[in-house]
Amino acid sequence: MFGIGTQEILIIALIILLLFGGRKIPELMRGLGKGIKSFKDGMKEVDDEVKDLNDKKEDAEKK
């Protein structure tokens, strides 16, 4: 994974734990999860709009 070994990941996790503390990490992860969900929902909306536009274009070409 990006040339990062197990030791490096553990060191990064330890630094994050020291910086934010044990209580803040679940809040940060919850916020990150909500952000990712929101991003996926937005991408789905864009895909749906593109599909609708393509369907309308195909319908217009058939007429």
Side-chain angles (χ1 to χ4, degrees), residues 2-63:
F2 306 112
I4 298 176
T6 305
Q7 291 179 340
E8 289 87 1
I9 292 174
L10 289 174
I11 291 170
I12 292 170
L14 180 63
I15 291 171
I16 291 172
L17 182 62
L18 289 174
L19 288 175
F20 296 107
R23 293 183 181 176
K24 282 288 188 183
I25 292 176
E27 293 175 25
L28 291 171
M29 293 300 112
R30 193 175 304 116
L32 181 64
K34 287 180 182 179
I36 291 172
K37 184 178 185 302
S38 175
F39 179 76
K40 285 182 180 180
D41 290 344
M43 290 300 296
K44 184 179 178 189
E45 288 178 17
V46 169
D47 288 342
D48 291 343
E49 287 181 26
V50 169
K51 184 178 177 184
D52 289 343
L53 288 174
N54 285 337
D55 290 344
K56 288 179 183 178
K57 182 180 176 183
E58 289 175 2
D59 289 343
E61 289 176 354
K62 288 181 183 178
K63 291 182 181 181

